[in-house]
Amino acid sequence: MWWRSPSFILDRRDQQQVQQFDGEALSVSHPPPPSSSMSEATHLENPNPNPNPNHNNSAYYQTRAAHHGVVTSDWLAQAQAAVGIFPDPADDFSSAIALEEDAVAGGSGGDGKVFSVIDEFNSWRRQPDLAEAVAAIKALASVIRLSKATTMMELEIELKKASDSLKSWDTTSISLTAGCDLFMRYVTRTSALEYEDFNSAKSRLLERAEKFGEISYKARKIIAMVSQDFIFDGCTILVHGFSRVVLEILKMAAQNKKLFRVFCTEGRPDRTGLRFSNEMAKLDVPVKLVIDSAVAYSMEEVDMVFVGADGVVESGGIINMMGTYQIALVAHSMSKPVYVAAESYKFARLYPLDQKDMAPALRPIDFGVPIPSKVEVERSARDYTPPQYLTLLFTDLGVLTPSVVSDELIQLYL
């Protein structure tokens, strides 16, 4: 069973006002160049390796660090070095279009390089407010637009290779893999292609690709609208991690003049709660920073919990930032609702059975003091929260119960 929120009927004026509350551009650190010592065998196995390889830290966490600003000396140094290197995010769209026009004219970008789906993906990733999966979708749409294939078979093979390259760029990113898979299913799932000439079929593919990208880009706004009925005046909301979808929800609630306060977990070692509390302070929303170990202590004051998700799995559970599982356990034991905000392109065909039944995603941890070499440190970046501890999922498909996620996955992947 699932419900759609009446918030869908917000008038055009309200929707225009919402746009004024778009998140400010977040500075991202410039990824260092690939190591020159990388073996030739690695290049043969993966023709498009992650440009920021690190054998100790997963690409998943490197991506999170770029978008969520991990406050360590290394990340801070990279961020400071990046000032003046990256262009204004507002110019990214126009520069990407110019690059594509150059590629169409001469088969290469403005700097003379052959078009690469990884380079196109990274150019879109520079926009802090653009999700990684949406950047991949836009990059795959460019593959169709710039393809020189002469048959549908060639185009599909080229698109499949590009999708595989993106997924291999960061094998631990659930949203990236799910976004690529859903793009392939949505774009190629039309029988009309069999009855059209190649140019017409290619145009139809491109049209569907751009439509899918537009739907994915607007998902965050839709989720913010469908969730408004669940936030009431005088409530206290506990937030864990820096979810851009949750931030959009609370921004819209503030814009709708709702009175609420927010508890932010500190979110060590990322310290994402510090950044989220800063965003709430900018909106003049009462906010309190809570250390991670004080969640149970503070839960009595909380009316609801809001979290994002790196991935929504077939069971209806979620994979998210480390600490989500224990917060959900505490909330469940005290009968507090746990709401998950996640875009539909994060719905993944995964069914983890326990915490270890996932691809490892490691992260750097700086305790500020030397750690003896004999001491083992848990460096996992995420955990799995089973569906029985979740109340509702706010998605661009509507408001879902965890039990209906499998049905939606079937519809998405059919």
Side-chain angles (χ1 to χ4, degrees):
M1 179 177 181
W2 65 286
W3 303 291
R4 287 194 182 276
S5 168
S7 295
F8 271 119
I9 63 174
L10 289 177
D11 58 32
R12 183 179 300 274
R13 183 185 62 181
D14 289 340
Q15 294 180 19
Q16 292 174 348
Q17 290 177 350
V18 170
Q19 296 175 359
Q20 298 176 2
F21 289 86
D22 286 339
E24 297 180 358
L26 311 176
S27 59
V28 295
S29 57
H30 185 62
S35 172
S36 58
S37 61
M38 183 179 291
S39 65
E40 181 179 354
T42 303
H43 285 289
L44 292 176
E45 292 176 1
N46 184 3
N48 293 291
N50 189 326
N52 188 17
N54 190 319
H55 298 294
N56 296 323
N57 304 320
S58 70
Y60 162 85
Y61 192 76
Q62 294 172 33
T63 300
R64 287 187 64 90
H67 284 291
H68 301 299
V70 178
V71 186
T72 65
S73 56
D74 292 340
W75 296 119
L76 184 59
Q78 292 181 16
Q80 291 172 342
V83 176
I85 295 177
F86 286 150
D88 187 344
D91 299 331
D92 284 343
F93 180 78
S94 58
S95 61
I97 296 299
L99 177 64
E100 292 180 3
E101 290 176 350
D102 290 340
V104 171
S108 63
D111 55 2
K113 294 182 179 179
V114 177
F115 173 81
S116 166
V117 68
I118 299 298
D119 292 340
E120 180 74 6
F121 167 67
N122 284 324
S123 71
W124 285 107
R125 279 183 71 242
R126 292 193 189 126
Q127 298 189 35
D129 289 333
L130 196 67
E132 187 178 72
V134 178
I137 290 167
K138 290 184 175 293
L140 290 173
S142 297
V143 172
I144 300 175
R145 185 180 299 109
L146 304 178
S147 175
K148 295 182 179 180
T150 58
T151 66
M152 283 303 300
M153 181 63 70
E154 290 178 4
L155 182 57
E156 283 198 35
I157 291 175
E158 185 176 348
L159 199 57
K160 179 67 165 58
K161 288 182 178 179
S163 175
D164 291 342
S165 296
L166 286 172
K167 289 191 290 186
S168 64
W169 182 87
D170 187 352
T171 57
T172 60
S173 175
I174 298 172
S175 62
L176 178 61
T177 299
C180 289
D181 289 343
L182 285 171
F183 176 89
M184 295 294 294
R185 295 296 302 163
Y186 182 87
V187 170
T188 60
R189 188 177 58 184
T190 170
S191 59
L193 297 177
E194 301 176 5
Y195 306 100
E196 298 177 339
D197 61 87
F198 174 71
N199 290 332
S200 298
K202 181 179 178 180
S203 298
R204 184 179 291 270
L205 274 183
L206 183 59
E207 179 184 347
R208 291 177 66 86
E210 292 177 342
K211 181 179 179 181
F212 186 72
E214 182 181 357
I215 292 172
S216 301
Y217 183 75
K218 293 180 178 179
R220 204 175 296 165
K221 294 288 186 182
I222 297 173
I223 294 171
M225 285 190 284
V226 303
S227 62
Q228 293 306 299
D229 292 343
F230 296 85
I231 300 176
F232 54 87
D233 284 339
C235 68
T236 299
I237 302 171
L238 176 66
V239 175
H240 180 59
F242 191 96
S243 166
R244 287 170 289 186
V245 188
V246 174
L247 178 60
E248 190 67 32
I249 291 172
L250 299 185
K251 278 184 177 181
M252 185 174 289
Q255 182 263 339
N256 290 337
K257 307 301 182 182
K258 293 192 175 184
L259 303 177
F260 60 95
R261 63 173 177 164
V262 177
F263 285 3
C264 297
T265 59
E266 184 182 5
R268 280 185 176 269
D270 304 40
R271 298 181 185 177
T272 50
L274 296 176
R275 293 188 58 249
F276 201 97
S277 62
N278 289 338
E279 295 294 330
M280 292 295 99
K282 292 177 183 178
L283 298 173
D284 292 327
V285 174
V287 59
K288 178 190 285 188
L289 200 60
V290 178
I291 61 175
D292 296 331
S293 56
V295 168
Y297 174 83
S298 304
M299 190 61 73
E300 288 184 351
E301 302 179 61
V302 172
D303 294 299
M304 65 191 74
V305 177
F306 268 88
V307 295
D310 293 327
V312 180
V313 298
E314 293 183 62
S315 63
I318 63 169
I319 297 173
N320 194 41
M321 176 182 173
M322 181 64 72
T324 304
Y325 181 32
Q326 61 191 23
I327 291 175
L329 282 171
V330 173
H332 181 75
S333 67
M334 301 180 71
S335 301
K336 308 290 184 178
V338 178
Y339 299 135
V340 179
E343 303 92 328
S344 59
Y345 56 72
K346 292 182 178 179
F347 283 31
R349 302 183 71 176
L350 299 172
Y351 202 107
L353 300 177
D354 53 38
Q355 300 298 327
K356 305 299 182 181
D357 193 20
M358 297 183 293
L362 305 179
R363 58 182 171 182
I365 297 180
D366 184 6
F367 289 98
V369 295
I371 302 298
S373 58
K374 295 182 180 180
V375 175
E376 183 180 358
V377 177
E378 177 57 64
R379 300 170 58 234
S380 299
R382 60 194 183 191
D383 58 25
Y384 165 62
T385 304
Q388 61 265 33
Y389 303 114
L390 306 176
T391 307
L392 291 173
L393 290 89
F394 300 138
T395 77
D396 47 303
L397 303 176
V399 181
L400 311 179
T401 60
S403 60
V404 84
V405 168
S406 59
D407 295 333
E408 291 296 334
L409 272 166
I410 292 173
Q411 296 297 322
L412 287 172
Y413 282 96
L414 268 180

